[in-house]
Amino acid sequence: MSWFGRSKLPEVGTTIFTVMSRRAQALGAINLGQGFPDYDIDPRLTERVAEAMRQGHNQYAPMEGLPALRAGIARKLEAGYGLCVDPQDEITVTLGATEAIYSAIQALAGPGDEVIAFDPAYDAYEPAVRLAGARCIRLPLAPPQFRYDWDRVRDALSDRTRLILLNTPHNPTCTVASAHDLDVLAAMVAERPITVLSDEVYEHMVFDGRAHASVLAHARLRERSLAVFSFGKTLHATGVRVGYAVAPPALTAELRKVHQFNTFSIAHPLQQAIARYLEECPDTGADLPGFFQAKRDRLRAALGGCALRLPPAAGTFFQLLDFSALAPPDDVAFAERLLTEAGVASIPLSPFYAAPPPLSCVRLCIAKREATLDAAAERLGAFAQRLARAGA
Ligand code: GLN
């Protein structure tokens, strides 16, 4: 034994994303599990990164983020949402959205505090809350449409509630919060000392003509929210690990107190490159709804007549796969069969729940080349037929 302490996260293992990616690789399966694109990034971004290193931007960047990048983010927020955000005091560049969420939770919640999250909840939320010493209250989104049950939220609020963790567009259910949802939330927290931490990394992946309802664009939520975004998602480059948090100055100041001791500052050449890229491509992100909607629709069309059904997907680069017509409601077992028998890696929803109910859906990532989606659809379709025949 080389360690004598007590685990602070005793029941936490390796994330389901890592586990499924490893297994997909070992088995040579098509990996629609962990959310990342399998196609090339814009070569102009590659060039800007190489150029930034050649030009010597290889030492620490400022702790809060490169001024040119924060200015670019402010312009992007103005173009996208009509917002006036002060890049000096309201934007912090972070190591992906995950660091922003982690640092924000450490900064804003502590022992005796409660943090509300909605199940299925992204797996990074609760461990961050517990490491902060706070308690995570998990409230279910109501299936099959995974809508907010605001009465239940109201009942769960207490004097100890410090944070509400929102995620829209929502991973893994592919739903989006409506303007009405935000109104109800704003009214509910109005007289309480509650901050909204809103994970909006899929802000540009909203389909069928919908507009993304950001907490930043909601006048009453804006003043009490910290919203988190991701260049990894927007630039199709999850490996760059550059994200940012937007919040009023007082919240930003608290976030930075943790950020500076957590990651301190973010990869300088990458920040330079993204800043220049945003200057060159001021409408970055604008093409993403069409880009991902086409992928979603391609997969949906390919599985059109299949007994594996695809519930509506309003946003994110995921798509749920409903297997209730073919197998018992055990998503972990079904994901295992998809992997080993169909050769397609997916993500079960159970790990996103504090206490998972019987589940009949797994999550697929659609941020893939057409050929990948077509090959996966073929395997899924053939597997569904085999299951249907076996059951008949
Ligand atoms: N956000 C990615 C997903 O939901 C996973 C990131 C990770 O592997 N931690 O698939």
Side-chain angles (χ1 to χ4, degrees), residues 58-83:
N58 299 310
Q59 308 308 329
Y60 294 131
M63 176 276 280
E64 60 275 48
L66 207 63
L69 179 55
R70 285 183 287 131
I73 292 167
R75 285 195 306 273
K76 186 173 181 307
L77 290 165
E78 187 180 6
Y81 304 112
L83 291 172

Side-chain angles (χ1 to χ4, degrees), residues 258-278:
V258 176
H259 164 75
Q260 69 183 343
F261 296 125
N262 184 3
T263 54
F264 173 55
S265 80
I266 306 308
H268 193 166
L270 293 176
Q271 291 197 66
Q272 284 283 354
I274 296 171
R276 288 190 190 149
Y277 186 86
L278 291 182

Side-chain angles (χ1 to χ4, degrees), residues 54 153 200:
R54 274 198 304 267
V153 181
E200 303 186 11

Side-chain angles (χ1 to χ4, degrees), residues 21 48 51 68 136-137 162 174 257 260 314 323 331 335 349:
S21 277
R48 293 287 86 86
E51 181 185 276
C136 197
I137 310 281
R162 251 340 125 247
C174 312
K257 288 181 193 174
Q260 69 183 343
F323 58 84
D331 63 330
L349 266 50

